Amino acid sequence: MTDSIATTREFDGLQIPAAGTYQLDAAHKRVGFVVRHLMVSKVRGDFAQADATITIAEDPLQSAVTATITTASVQTGNADRDNHLRTGDFFEAEKYPAITFRSTGIKSHSGAEFVLDGELTIKDVTKPVELVVEFEGATTSPYGQQVFGFSATTEIDREDWGLTYNMALESGGVMIGKKVKIEIEGEAIRQA
């Protein structure tokens, strides 16, 4: 379907995707994070492998998402740090190969911003999180695919999920911040 009437619909002043099942486009996504280092700078990283299924409901406020992130795919631009992140000090990637997210509902929305409640599981510890999702728009690609874009952010305390590794600094403070900002950008393609 390439007819714009069939691919999008109006919802509260937005042109949103038609109801259906959408898959995260592996070629157009970033699942990243930012954490303080030495109390003076920030380190950014991401996960190269992540999958998500987004179900856009007839009632958009009943839509849902499930996502799986491969922990061993963590990359920060430094091989030693990446390998350390895969160990038991952090993700313990061999024992816990995936981080998962499952939405539990849409808490609110204002314009193109939706607040999504969900459950994040890291190392078999599941805690509630709140994602602020920005709907970026919907279109039909040159290949006839129905696509929509989004970004999402949240901040977590990594120690809540058992990621407690750290080192005290002689000058005070710690080597690695407890707060981690999660940043997601992506496109999703209609499957059904």
Side-chain angles (χ1 to χ4, degrees), residues 99-176:
I99 295 169
T100 61
F101 174 81
R102 180 183 70 83
S103 66
T104 56
I106 295 176
K107 182 177 192 174
S108 63
H109 90 90
S110 176
E113 183 179 284
F114 294 79
V115 178
L116 184 66
D117 283 332
E119 295 177 337
L120 180 65
T121 302
I122 303 172
K123 295 177 75 169
D124 282 349
V125 176
T126 302
K127 299 276 185 184
V129 294
E130 185 179 281
L131 283 176
V132 177
V133 180
E134 187 77 22
F135 172 68
E136 304 287 355
T139 191
T140 300
S141 77
Y143 309 105
Q145 298 169 308
Q146 294 177 34
V147 177
F148 73 89
F150 64 93
S151 59
T153 60
T154 192
E155 186 173 271
I156 64 170
D157 182 332
R158 64 186 176 87
E159 292 185 353
D160 290 345
W161 281 267
L163 303 173
T164 58
Y165 175 85
N166 224 330
M167 294 176 71
L169 301 175
E170 285 183 26
S171 59
V174 291
M175 183 170 69
I176 306 164

Side-chain angles (χ1 to χ4, degrees), residues 6 12 22 27 47 53 55 71 74 96-97 102 118 120 128-129 165 167 169 179 182:
D12 206 19
Y22 295 75
F47 295 91
T53 300
T55 304
T71 54
V74 67
Y96 304 104
R102 180 183 70 83
L120 180 65
V129 294
Y165 175 85
M167 294 176 71
L169 301 175
K179 298 293 183 186
I182 298 171

Side-chain angles (χ1 to χ4, degrees), residues 75-95:
Q75 53 190 19
T76 64
N78 180 291
D80 289 340
R81 180 173 46 224
D82 297 348
N83 288 331
H84 188 202
L85 287 170
R86 293 180 186 111
T87 71
D89 285 343
F90 292 97
F91 295 117
E92 203 168 350
E94 282 192 30
K95 185 174 181 182

